[in-house]
Amino acid sequence: MFNKLQKYETELWTIFCILLFSIIAHGYRFVNLMFNGDSMLIYQTDQDWKYSLGRIFQPFYWKLRGDLVAPMLIGTLSVLYFTIALVLIIRLFRLQNKLQIAFLCALLAVNITITSTFATDIHEGDTYMLALLCATLSVVAFRKAHLILGGVFICLCLGLYQAYLQVAVGLLLLLFMQNLLDGENFKKVFFSGLKSIAMLLGGSIAYTLIMRFILHVKNIALTNNYNGLADVGDYSTTSIPTLVVKTYQYIITEWLHPQTFRSGFVGLANAGIILLTILLFVLLLVTKVESNSSRVLLLILFLLFPFGINVVYFVSKGMEHTLMTFSFGLLYLLFVLLLHYFPLSKIQKYLPYAAYAAMGLAVWCNVIYANQTYLKVALQEKATDAFMVRVVDRLEQTEGYVPGKTPIAVVGLMPTSPLYKSMAGFEDVRGRTMDAYTASWEKIYYLYLENMLNYPVIRAPLAKEDQAAVDAMPTFPAEGCCAFIGDTLVIKIGSTVATGIL
């Protein structure tokens, strides 16, 4: 029995590291509600919106997982999918050093993308991690020469969350660099690259065809709003050279100014790792690779790597946020991979320990940042609850109001409320968290009343001709902030009213 377990020692160590850091960093999130923003749609009824975003497989997956947003279930599934993906990545690149594996697991499990996802979009957490797993499986299938299967996983990845496509691109680039460092000839690696492009294109075309068919059957159009795909591929008003430069600039900025605790120190640590990575690469390029053609190809792959793991920025013409940048963590995998091939002399043997110190600092700060982020959201949840309970009380004090029968309109942005204040001590906790409340725009107020307070609501969108009357109203908690406009009881909780989404 023990001998059988020893055979999977590396895999078991990887699983242990992921579970350890997932619990330390994200455990609190999994056992608390902390719904905010879009996750307040606790019962996932926005399938049509997901279809319009091109996330065509999410509604089907929810039928298997359940439409309710249960944090512990979603957290467990997320860690499961993430663990399988990381085990496959460790095996794919034949990593054996336990310390390097531990750092890699920690840095990927506790990066800003994972933290932001769980903090603000917990309802999508397991879906995103399943997209990560599909992206990884596509590369594993490609490695085993199963191009069609790899294309299927690319299609699934795109239909779950398109941003994780760049994980597959990054892993493929790393795989080809590994092949060249292993001594494979230029021609073989070059044609493997062409096959990978065919796999990516094939999966993308299959995804597009399936998406178009589903949208046609359901009579839904792709949205061109935030996160939309309608104008993907249209570069008619975009300077492509400028966009390429910005694609590199964006990822370098994120590496050097990461969203984490003590960002400046972690930025310096990342800068050190980048410099060490470049140094290792140059030395390996000169000493490890013999063929000039292979050297040129390896150099091209290395230079393409930052672009590849940020290719979604290029495709979306700059529309990217922290939920989309998990692939940036593959920088650490690149460093570990190059370190694996570098023969260290007595002096150079201390080089990895400098990098380990830098990675350890990043892990420490990311764990702190994750817990600070969840604390911030937990406090915001309490503040929002107290605020909205007072709003309900004011509604019920209004003569003529009958809960669940009288139409209401809750208007005004909470950040423009006279009661609004930023949370002292949390100035550096950014991510995608709100500034003070878990509900900050008008659509979400109704979700909070209906789903969090289980309060009966009859929504009544206001007409444009009501705008003047709304503007004349004082802001909660002042007298007159709650009044009838026609048959609708309007309560104004912020001085700025978002016209057009009333």
Side-chain angles (χ1 to χ4, degrees):
M1 180 66 178
F2 181 74
N3 289 335
K4 288 184 179 180
L5 288 177
Q6 271 193 319
K7 183 180 178 181
Y8 299 100
E9 183 179 359
T10 300
E11 289 80 0
L12 292 172
W13 174 248
T14 302
I15 294 171
F16 170 77
C17 291
I18 293 171
L19 292 178
L20 174 64
F21 287 103
S22 294
I23 292 171
I24 293 173
H26 310 303
Y28 180 82
R29 178 64 190 93
F30 297 157
V31 295
N32 287 276
L33 297 179
M34 294 161 54
F35 295 121
N36 61 93
D38 291 344
S39 67
M40 282 189 199
L41 193 64
I42 298 171
Y43 177 53
Q44 295 291 297
T45 57
D46 64 339
Q47 285 92 341
D48 287 354
W49 174 243
K50 295 302 179 184
Y51 288 128
S52 73
L53 291 173
R55 302 175 193 175
I56 54 176
F57 299 135
Q58 284 191 6
F60 296 101
Y61 171 71
W62 289 340
K63 296 301 179 185
L64 298 174
R65 183 205 72 189
D67 295 323
L68 292 174
V69 181
M72 189 64 188
L73 173 63
I74 291 175
T76 301
L77 291 173
S78 298
V79 174
L80 174 63
Y81 301 148
F82 180 85
T83 301
I84 297 172
L86 261 290
V87 168
L88 291 173
I89 289 172
I90 297 299
R91 295 186 64 176
L92 184 67
F93 294 101
R94 306 189 302 274
L95 302 180
Q96 297 294 326
N97 186 296
K98 287 187 176 180
L99 190 57
Q100 294 175 4
I101 291 173
F103 279 126
L104 189 61
C105 290
L107 287 164
L108 293 177
V110 197
N111 71 13
I112 183 60
T113 297
I114 304 294
T115 297
S116 294
T117 298
F118 290 151
T120 65
D121 291 76
I122 185 69
H123 61 297
E124 304 269 23
D126 57 332
T127 311
Y128 292 175
M129 292 303 97
L130 186 56
L132 168 66
L133 176 57
C134 289
T136 305
L137 285 169
S138 71
V139 180
V140 172
F142 176 82
R143 178 68 169 172
K144 296 181 180 296
H146 299 307
L147 268 67
I148 295 177
L149 182 59
V152 170
F153 283 121
I154 290 294
C155 176
L156 291 172
C157 172
L158 290 169
L160 290 167
Y161 192 35
Q162 301 91 345
Y164 281 84
L165 173 67
Q166 55 197 24
V167 173
V169 174
L171 292 176
L172 286 168
L173 290 171
L174 288 172
L175 185 63
F176 298 142
M177 283 190 263
Q178 182 186 55
N179 292 340
L180 289 169
L181 291 171
D182 283 339
E184 288 191 16
N185 63 65
F186 166 85
K187 187 176 180 180
K188 184 176 180 180
V189 177
F190 179 77
F191 280 104
S192 291
L194 295 180
K195 290 177 182 178
S196 73
I197 294 173
M199 180 187 74
L200 292 170
L201 287 176
S204 300
I205 292 170
Y207 159 72
T208 302
L209 293 175
I210 294 171
M211 177 183 65
R212 294 293 182 184
F213 174 77
I214 291 176
L215 293 178
H216 175 74
V217 169
K218 293 186 173 292
N219 195 28
I220 298 172
L222 279 177
T223 181
N224 60 356
N225 294 329
Y226 181 69
N227 280 330
L229 299 178
D231 63 345
V232 167
D234 179 10
Y235 295 95
S236 58
T237 59
T238 304
S239 168
I240 291 181
T242 300
L243 185 58
V244 170
V245 171
K246 288 184 176 180
T247 302
Y248 279 96
Q249 286 178 338
Y250 185 86
I251 190 169
I252 292 171
T253 300
E254 290 297 309
W255 277 340
L256 299 182
H257 302 280
Q259 297 183 44
T260 187
F261 177 72
R262 299 289 184 260
S263 176
F265 290 111
V266 178
L268 288 174
N270 284 344
I273 292 173
I274 292 171
L275 291 176
L276 286 175
T277 300
I278 294 172
L279 176 62
L280 287 173
F281 176 78
V282 171
L283 291 173
L284 288 171
L285 189 68
V286 173
T287 62
K288 182 74 174 175
V289 183
E290 297 179 358
S291 165
N292 286 333
S293 57
S294 295
R295 285 176 179 166
V296 171
L297 181 57
L298 183 58
L299 178 61
I300 292 173
L301 293 170
F302 184 79
L303 294 176
L304 280 175
F305 181 73
F307 183 88
I309 60 176
N310 196 29
V311 68
V312 169
Y313 183 97
F314 180 83
V315 173
S316 65
K317 299 185 284 293
M319 208 304 293
E320 194 166 51
H321 47 71
T322 52
L323 300 185
M324 305 167 70
T325 57
F326 176 86
S327 55
F328 292 6
L330 294 181
L331 165 68
Y332 302 111
L333 177 57
L334 172 61
F335 172 75
V336 168
L337 184 63
L338 294 179
L339 192 63
H340 173 72
Y341 286 95
F342 194 73
L344 301 175
S345 65
K346 290 183 178 180
I347 297 176
Q348 294 166 334
K349 70 179 181 180
Y350 296 105
L351 182 66
Y353 293 102
Y356 295 158
M359 289 191 285
L361 174 65
V363 171
W364 174 257
C365 291
N366 286 353
V367 168
I368 293 173
Y369 190 79
N371 282 277
Q372 289 180 338
T373 300
Y374 301 139
L375 173 62
K376 180 182 180 182
V377 176
L379 293 173
Q380 289 173 337
E381 182 181 41
K382 290 184 177 295
T384 305
D385 187 73
F387 191 104
M388 296 305 288
V389 166
R390 293 178 64 194
V391 168
V392 168
D393 181 62
R394 182 62 65 89
L395 289 170
E396 294 180 343
Q397 289 180 27
T398 304
E399 185 177 352
Y401 171 72
V402 180
K405 293 184 178 180
T406 303
I408 68 169
V410 185
V411 301
L413 302 179
M414 288 179 76
T416 62
S417 164
L419 300 177
Y420 181 89
K421 66 178 287 291
S422 297
M423 300 176 66
F426 290 89
E427 293 82 5
D428 294 330
V429 181
R430 297 174 290 159
R432 286 169 53 83
T433 58
M434 311 296 180
D435 197 23
Y437 300 103
T438 56
S440 292
W441 66 95
E442 293 167 342
K443 173 187 174 183
I444 302 299
Y445 303 153
Y446 300 106
L447 293 179
Y448 197 94
L449 293 171
E450 294 167 343
N451 296 338
M452 301 302 295
L453 300 183
N454 197 31
Y455 190 75
V457 169
I458 302 295
R459 303 186 190 188
L462 297 178
K464 287 186 177 180
E465 53 265 28
D466 298 321
Q467 185 71 49
V470 173
D471 290 341
M473 293 174 64
T475 304
F476 180 84
E479 286 294 328
C481 68
C482 188
F484 278 96
I485 298 180
D487 294 330
T488 300
L489 182 58
V490 180
I491 183 164
K492 185 178 178 182
I493 62 176
S495 59
T496 300
V497 177
T499 305
I501 62 169
L502 292 175

